């Protein structure tokens, strides 16, 4: 069970993280040139206090689960401070180029590189207007800092809300017999947290991006119980009914509707009967109607071609159509965690 000292260390660590990324957010905003006002109707916004309050509640919820013994306090993944300083410098150096793309609405640079012709067309874009799309070492290096800055230090804790349903699944099981696949794993932060919390699990992270997988291997590590493979979520290189848990974080809002459906069908195919899909992604508009303005503006400021379709979609119907039964949903700050089961 965690001690009082653990609690203090948790609070201090998370506060320092949020402070570091808030500082990046504020400094970054000053560098960006304003975009013209949107010419479409924009819904209501939370104010800063409301956002911070909601974020604090999320950390409090995580601490309650840690105190209840569901999983240990989070590790500092990738703790090399020199690497983070270097990434911070890279982030600010790259920001003007991201801003140029935002203003010129340039979003298909990866598509113009013949080296990427084998990848799906929808994938070859500058998502978030980021340099290199998902496809360069530099993009892999700055991705985490970009995402955490966007969420002012709450991206990791949102990803970690998947640990609670994983703990529930493992309650009466020997974790060494459980196989977990994380799809669209990116730089591997979710598998990193899962591996730390449940070190007996057999965890595999899958992604289409070689540079992101290489970054995961280097920074999160690789072992018999933590593997990384290249592959498409809509054509999983796994046998039918061979996986106990499939997870993903922040993948679904990056997929066109048809691909999203194909990915869910693949999840259902590879899950064993009784296995579960645990998805963390952007909250839906219906989860946060009072924050609709954020959902309206996000795809305007960042290149997010499929975001609006995701936040107005009905995941329960999509997963049910593919044979998976809804088990639980938790709205966590700007995200939602959904649990679905393949009936036994
Ligand atoms: C927004 S990032 C999320 C990464 C990570 N899960 C996280 O929590 O930050 C989306 C990731 O999904 C990957 N991706 C997108 N489409 C994919 C597909 N069809 N198959 C496999 N990976 C895909 C991208 O390469 C990228 O690493």
């Amino acid at each position: 069970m965690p001690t009082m000292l653990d609690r203090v260390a948790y609070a201090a660590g998370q506060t320092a993280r949020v402070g570091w990324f808030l500082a990046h957010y504020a400094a970054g905003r000053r560098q960006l040139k304003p975009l013209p006002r949107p010419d479409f109707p924009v819904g209501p916004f939370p104010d800063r206090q409301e956002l911070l309050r909601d974020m604090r509640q999320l950390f409090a919820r995580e601490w309650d689960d840690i105190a209840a013994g569901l999983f240990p306090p989070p590790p500092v993944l990738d703790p090399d401070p020199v690497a983070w300083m270097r990434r911070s410098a890279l982030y600010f150096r790259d920001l003007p180029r991201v801003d140029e793309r935002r203003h010129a609405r340039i979003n298909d640079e990866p598509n113009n590189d013949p080296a990427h012709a084998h990848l799906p067309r929808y994938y070859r874009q500058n998502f978030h207007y980021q340099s290199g799309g998902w496809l360069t070492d530099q993009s892999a290096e700055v991705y985490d800092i970009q995402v955490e800055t966007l969420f002012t230090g709450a991206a990791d804790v949102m990803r970690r809300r998947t640990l609670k349903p994983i703990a529930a699944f493992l309650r009466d099981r020997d974790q060494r017999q459980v196989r977990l696949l994380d799809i669209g794993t990116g730089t591997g932060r979710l598998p990193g947290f899962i591996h730390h919390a449940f070190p007996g699990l057999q965890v595999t992270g899958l992604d289409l991006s070689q540079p992101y997988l290489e970054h995961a291997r280097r920074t999160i590590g690789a072992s018999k119980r933590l593997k990384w493979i290249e592959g498409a979520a809509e054509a999983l290189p796994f046998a039918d009914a061979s996986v106990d848990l499939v997870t993903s974080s922040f993948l679904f809002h990056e997929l066109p509707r048809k691909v999203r459906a194909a990915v869910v069908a693949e999840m259902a195919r590879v899950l064993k009967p009784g296995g579960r899909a645990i998805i963390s992604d952007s909250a839906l508009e219906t989860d946060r109607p009072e924050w609709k303005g954020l959902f309206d503006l996000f795809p305007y400021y960042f290149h997010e071609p499929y975001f609006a379709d995701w936040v107005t979609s009905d995941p329960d119907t999509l997963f049910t159509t593919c044979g998976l039964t809804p088990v639980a949903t938790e709205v966590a700050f700007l995200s939602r965690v959904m649990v679905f089961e393949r009936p036994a």
Side-chain angles (χ1 to χ4, degrees):
M1 279 298 143
T3 62
M4 185 52 117
L5 205 62
D6 290 328
R7 184 177 187 149
V8 172
Y10 173 84
Q14 299 308 316
T15 306
R17 276 192 105 246
V18 169
W20 163 263
F21 289 111
L22 266 172
H24 278 73
Y25 185 87
R29 271 194 77 148
R30 276 199 293 275
Q31 278 197 29
L32 299 175
K33 295 189 208 83
L35 276 176
R37 290 173 77 85
D39 58 3
F40 50 86
V42 175
F45 284 96
D47 64 25
R48 189 173 305 171
Q49 291 315 317
E50 194 179 345
L51 280 173
L52 287 175
R53 197 166 49 242
D54 209 276
M55 206 160 108
R56 266 199 305 274
Q57 282 167 4
L58 179 58
F59 284 112
R61 241 167 33 227
E62 176 169 69
W63 179 259
D64 287 346
D65 291 341
I66 295 167
L70 297 186
F71 45 83
V76 179
L77 286 181
D78 190 11
D80 178 359
V82 177
W84 280 97
M85 294 309 287
R86 206 183 50 236
R87 283 174 202 143
S88 176
L90 197 59
Y91 169 79
F92 285 113
R93 255 205 324 273
D94 185 45
L95 211 48
R97 295 203 288 139
V98 174
D99 204 28
E100 274 168 31
R101 272 183 218 101
R102 288 169 73 217
H103 283 269
R105 300 280 175 209
I106 294 170
N107 53 44
D108 65 349
E109 288 166 349
N111 187 41
N112 299 326
D113 185 340
H116 302 143
H118 62 291
L119 291 164
R121 174 66 187 95
Y122 71 84
Y123 184 81
R124 290 179 270 149
Q125 304 188 52
N126 300 84
F127 289 90
H128 316 160
Y129 292 118
Q130 70 193 35
S131 303
W134 308 124
L135 289 162
T136 63
D137 295 339
Q138 183 197 297
S139 162
E141 193 67 23
V142 292
Y143 171 80
D144 290 332
I145 204 164
Q146 284 172 335
V147 173
E148 275 297 13
T149 298
L150 178 68
F151 289 120
T152 58
D156 274 349
V157 64
M158 289 194 282
R159 292 182 181 106
R160 289 196 302 266
R161 289 317 290 158
T162 55
L163 297 182
K164 188 175 183 175
I166 296 175
F169 183 82
L170 293 176
R171 200 172 298 132
D172 301 316
R173 289 179 169 87
D174 174 0
Q175 55 175 269
R176 288 166 308 173
Q177 307 303 323
V178 174
R179 209 165 166 208
L180 180 148
L181 171 65
D182 182 57
I183 63 172
T185 200
T187 55
R189 294 193 78 77
L190 180 56
F193 289 123
I194 293 172
H195 178 62
H196 174 265
F198 311 109
L201 281 184
Q202 305 166 51
V203 178
T204 303
L206 172 141
D207 204 284
L208 271 172
S209 167
Q210 267 179 11
Y212 277 56
L213 289 168
E214 195 40 50
H215 187 87
R217 231 172 252 129
R218 197 162 30 83
T219 56
I220 309 291
S223 68
K224 236 172 70 192
R225 302 213 162 256
L226 183 59
K227 296 186 178 152
W228 310 100
I229 61 166
E230 198 180 331
E234 60 272 45
L236 293 173
F238 287 84
D240 296 1
S242 60
V243 175
D244 301 278
L245 292 169
V246 184
T247 56
S248 83
S249 54
F250 302 127
L251 169 68
F252 275 72
H253 75 273
E254 305 291 22
L255 301 175
R257 187 185 296 190
K258 268 195 185 149
V259 179
R260 213 184 293 143
V263 170
V264 177
E266 275 296 88
M267 287 178 144
R269 179 185 68 75
V270 302
L271 274 177
K272 294 178 188 170
R276 289 186 174 182
I278 303 176
I279 318 295
S280 160
D281 218 293
S282 167
L284 306 178
E285 269 185 21
T286 45
D287 294 325
R288 295 289 197 188
E290 71 285 12
W291 293 3
K292 186 175 178 299
L294 294 179
F295 297 105
D296 292 334
L297 287 185
F298 183 54
Y300 177 70
Y301 286 118
F302 300 87
H303 179 55
E304 283 287 1
Y306 312 116
F307 180 81
D309 191 59
W310 166 254
V311 299
T312 53
S313 74
D314 174 3
D316 279 2
T317 300
L318 170 60
F319 280 79
T320 307
T321 308
C322 294
L324 298 176
T325 310
V327 173
T329 301
E330 176 189 347
V331 176
F333 188 44
L334 293 163
S335 71
R336 61 161 26 213
V337 177
M338 296 158 285
V339 184
F340 299 92
E341 182 167 286
R342 177 166 172 192

